[in-house]
Amino acid sequence: MFKYLKNDLPASVVVFFVALPLCLGIALASGAPLFSGLIAGIVGGIVVGALSGSKIGVSGPAAGLAAIVLTAIGTLGGYENFLVAVVIGGVIQLIFGVLKAGIIGYYFPSSVIKGMLTGIGIIIILKQIPHFFGYDADPEGDFAFFQVDGENTFSEIFKSINNISLGSTIVGLVGLGILILWSNVLSKKGKIFQLIQGPLVAVVFGIVYYIFTDSTSKFGISSEHLVSVPVPDSFDSFLGQFSFPNFAAITNPQIWVVGFTIALVASLETLLCVEATDKLDPHKNVTPTNRELLAQGTGNILSGLIGGLPVTQVIVRSSANIQSGGRTKLSAIFHGFLLLISVILIPTLLNKIPLSVLAAILLVVGYKLAKPALFKKMWDLGWKQFIPFTVTVVGIVFTDLLVGIALGLAVGIVIILIKSFQNSHFLHIEDKSDGKNRIKMTLAEQVTFFNKGAILNELDSLPENTYLELDVRKTIYLDNDIVEILEDFAVKAKERHIDIKIISERGIVENPDSFIEFFKLEKKS
């Protein structure tokens, strides 16, 4: 784990700067205490990072759970009652891991996963534009189209253009310039520029700019455009920021419903993120998904016990980790320690970081996820890849992550059904010399009820006086629905003077008395 320390430490700093505003923003969007988001980020980094089998995945509070958390806190009668549901959700995730439910993640098409990454990249860019210009009405981490501040993604951008903060915009533009210069030029000039990452330099510039400008002046940055970490005035007040679950409410059935919902959604988001980060990983490591569920379950139990939000593996942080050169789980663990140390020792310094410079970092992350060249690549792969990809992207941008993925998956399934319909059999007209149409139909290896329509249409369209050869030698599985179609067609075949010859591994049979009995024997043999 320590072999790539020179890669992991700089990457962890970048992930820290990406995670910090997201932890606070997701807590705000969830209607939870701000400190609860930081707890989830620390647990996700240190605990889940240590237990996970992923080398580059980073966990923390998830934007996809914000709406569930917001509703649950109100319906369950307070945050302490909600924490019981988080602990229960963690226990259920452990059960999922033991039952090896992690395999679910492998059943999402590649086009949908790529659409998910691209959609999240576009969402990051769109959501960070207002923060970049110093319009912070909507909290960081609200990735849904319809926002908690009553606006939507695009109306928020239009509003921000009419409410530009000059100081924030200057910091954002200079920070973006530093990031581009560092990435494209300086990182190739020497090892010092690889060790000290551009995002760190950009953040330091933002802090220095804030300190040396008057916040009330035209070029200054007011406090609402800065990071807002809770600052305790004593050790006792620091400890007072932790909340603990009210286990007296465990008999409430609603808590169990919320707990199961958290487990299900958090597990699904994690498995999708695992699949996506493994695709992004330039070293193509494969994450053990069942172990990941066990790690996430443990993290949620601990987070719930000390007052944190639910955690999942998160694509924004994971992709920032990959783009910054992270190689092992040490970068995720160290980013958790950076969160812990900074909120204890330097919360006042953190509160001098302009949100616009963090927005610049996230804009670069978003662009690398949603490069225009990817759209051309997916187009070149053909419509069967491009349509599910596009539907997923549009669904994520105009709804939210899980709805967008569900839409893409649904379209992917429809395409599979269409291809299955088309590929159930091969038809070949062989000879008409003796006055009879000789037609050979070769069935595919797997013929299921999905293929009923195609085969039924072919049989119905056969002309009278046809000699049909039905070749099932390559067919491994023949659904009973197809056998029943053949059984029913045998009656029509006699009326239309159609002879049927079955060519099978057992031999050749003409006009069998019963197709059902024949294929039963075929199955036994």
Side-chain angles (χ1 to χ4, degrees):
M1 190 167 68
F2 296 95
K3 183 180 177 182
Y4 298 101
L5 199 62
K6 62 182 175 60
N7 302 89
D8 292 330
L9 289 182
S12 68
V13 175
V14 178
V15 178
F16 162 72
F17 286 128
V18 169
L20 180 64
L22 291 178
C23 288
L24 296 166
I26 290 168
L28 190 62
S30 303
L34 288 181
F35 196 66
S36 66
L38 294 170
I39 293 170
I42 292 164
V43 170
I46 299 172
V47 178
V48 179
L51 296 175
S52 169
S54 175
K55 291 187 176 181
I56 35 76
V58 184
S59 297
L65 287 167
I68 294 170
V69 175
L70 181 64
T71 305
I73 291 172
T75 57
L76 298 180
Y79 190 65
E80 287 74 16
N81 292 349
F82 167 73
L83 291 176
V84 179
V86 177
V87 175
I88 290 171
V91 173
I92 294 171
Q93 281 187 293
L94 290 181
I95 295 169
F96 286 166
V98 171
L99 295 176
K100 302 191 183 303
I103 196 173
I104 293 168
Y106 296 128
Y107 289 95
F108 287 85
S110 172
S111 57
V112 173
I113 298 298
K114 288 174 183 174
M116 166 188 158
L117 288 168
T118 306
I120 289 172
I122 293 170
I123 278 288
I124 291 170
I125 293 168
L126 295 174
K127 294 290 185 180
Q128 290 305 316
I129 289 172
H131 295 292
F132 185 86
F133 290 119
Y135 184 70
D136 309 311
D138 191 52
E140 293 272 8
D142 182 8
F143 286 167
F145 181 72
F146 294 105
Q147 301 177 166
V148 295
D149 67 342
E151 301 293 333
N152 64 52
T153 302
F154 295 104
S155 68
E156 188 85 4
I157 293 173
F158 294 133
K159 269 200 167 185
S160 70
I161 293 169
N162 296 322
N163 293 277
I164 290 176
S165 166
L166 193 57
S168 293
T169 306
I170 290 170
V171 168
L173 288 170
V174 173
L176 191 59
I178 290 170
L179 294 170
I180 294 170
L181 179 68
W182 220 270
S183 173
N184 296 339
V185 180
L186 295 179
S187 63
K188 298 163 187 171
K189 297 293 184 183
K191 289 187 177 179
I192 185 67
F193 297 113
Q194 294 171 6
L195 188 62
I196 300 172
Q197 292 279 307
L200 177 61
V201 178
V203 168
V204 169
F205 166 76
I207 294 172
V208 171
Y209 181 93
Y210 170 73
I211 292 171
F212 283 95
T213 54
D214 183 356
S215 60
T216 59
S217 72
K218 182 180 178 182
F219 293 97
I221 301 175
S222 56
S223 59
E224 66 263 26
H225 303 318
L226 304 173
V227 169
S228 181
V229 176
V231 181
D233 51 18
S234 67
F235 184 68
D236 288 338
S237 64
F238 173 75
L239 292 179
Q241 296 179 100
F242 291 89
S243 303
F244 303 99
N246 173 28
F247 283 109
I250 201 167
T251 54
N252 181 353
Q254 278 296 109
I255 284 179
W256 287 87
V257 172
V258 172
F260 185 79
T261 304
I262 289 171
L264 198 62
V265 176
S267 298
L268 186 56
E269 283 208 23
T270 293
L271 293 173
L272 289 166
C273 183
V274 163
E275 186 76 6
T277 49
D278 284 355
K279 282 194 179 299
L280 285 176
D281 183 8
H283 304 284
K284 301 304 173 190
N285 295 295
V286 177
T287 301
T289 52
N290 295 315
R291 178 175 168 181
E292 189 64 33
L293 290 178
L294 293 172
Q296 297 292 335
T298 305
N300 273 320
I301 291 170
L302 182 58
S303 185
L305 287 174
I306 59 176
L309 291 172
V311 298
T312 71
Q313 193 175 123
V314 191
I315 192 63
V316 180
R317 282 163 241 203
S318 301
S319 57
N321 187 28
I322 295 166
Q323 293 169 18
S324 304
R327 290 292 301 272
T328 76
K329 62 167 68 178
L330 186 66
S331 58
I333 296 169
F334 195 64
H335 117 275
F337 278 111
L338 283 176
L339 283 172
L340 177 61
I341 293 165
S342 61
V343 297
I344 295 173
L345 299 181
I346 54 167
T348 306
L349 180 62
L350 294 179
N351 288 344
K352 291 180 170 59
I353 301 175
L355 288 173
S356 60
V357 76
L358 299 179
I361 296 171
L362 284 166
L363 285 174
V364 173
V365 172
Y367 175 76
K368 288 183 177 179
L369 285 173
K371 286 184 176 178
L374 182 60
F375 286 88
K376 184 181 183 305
K377 182 180 176 183
M378 296 305 294
W379 174 264
D380 291 341
L381 288 173
W383 69 273
K384 294 190 292 294
Q385 293 291 313
F386 186 73
I387 292 177
F389 168 81
T390 307
V391 169
T392 305
V393 171
V394 173
I396 288 172
V397 171
F398 286 97
T399 56
D400 59 36
L401 177 65
L402 291 179
V403 172
I405 289 168
L407 290 171
L409 182 61
V411 172
I413 290 170
V414 169
I415 289 172
I416 290 170
L417 294 179
I418 291 170
K419 294 310 294 179
S420 179
F421 179 89
Q422 293 173 342
N423 297 331
S424 59
H425 62 279
F426 173 75
L427 211 63
H428 180 58
I429 301 173
E430 291 193 327
D431 184 23
K432 291 184 181 179
S433 58
D434 60 354
K436 256 199 167 185
N437 297 303
R438 301 182 69 85
I439 295 177
K440 184 175 182 180
M441 180 186 286
T442 305
L443 296 188
E445 285 189 0
Q446 304 282 337
V447 188
T448 70
F449 67 92
F450 291 140
N451 310 124
K452 283 168 65 174
I455 293 174
L456 195 57
N457 287 341
E458 292 287 9
L459 294 175
D460 282 346
S461 64
L462 291 177
E464 291 188 1
N465 298 312
T466 294
Y467 191 82
L468 174 66
E469 288 186 4
L470 190 63
D471 191 341
V472 295
R473 285 175 293 184
K474 294 180 181 178
T475 306
I476 298 169
Y477 175 75
L478 188 65
D479 198 313
N480 188 64
D481 285 37
I482 308 300
V483 178
E484 287 183 1
I485 285 175
L486 294 172
E487 183 78 6
D488 294 340
F489 176 72
V491 177
K492 293 181 184 176
K494 288 177 183 177
E495 296 172 359
R496 292 157 56 186
H497 308 293
I498 296 174
D499 293 309
I500 304 171
K501 179 167 76 172
I502 302 177
I503 305 172
S504 73
E505 290 292 332
R506 286 194 300 119
I508 299 172
V509 178
E510 290 200 31
N511 297 320
D513 294 329
S514 170
F515 282 88
I516 293 174
E517 292 302 320
F518 175 82
F519 283 108
K520 275 184 183 177
L521 289 171
E522 177 73 11
K523 199 172 184 180
K524 285 175 186 175
S525 68

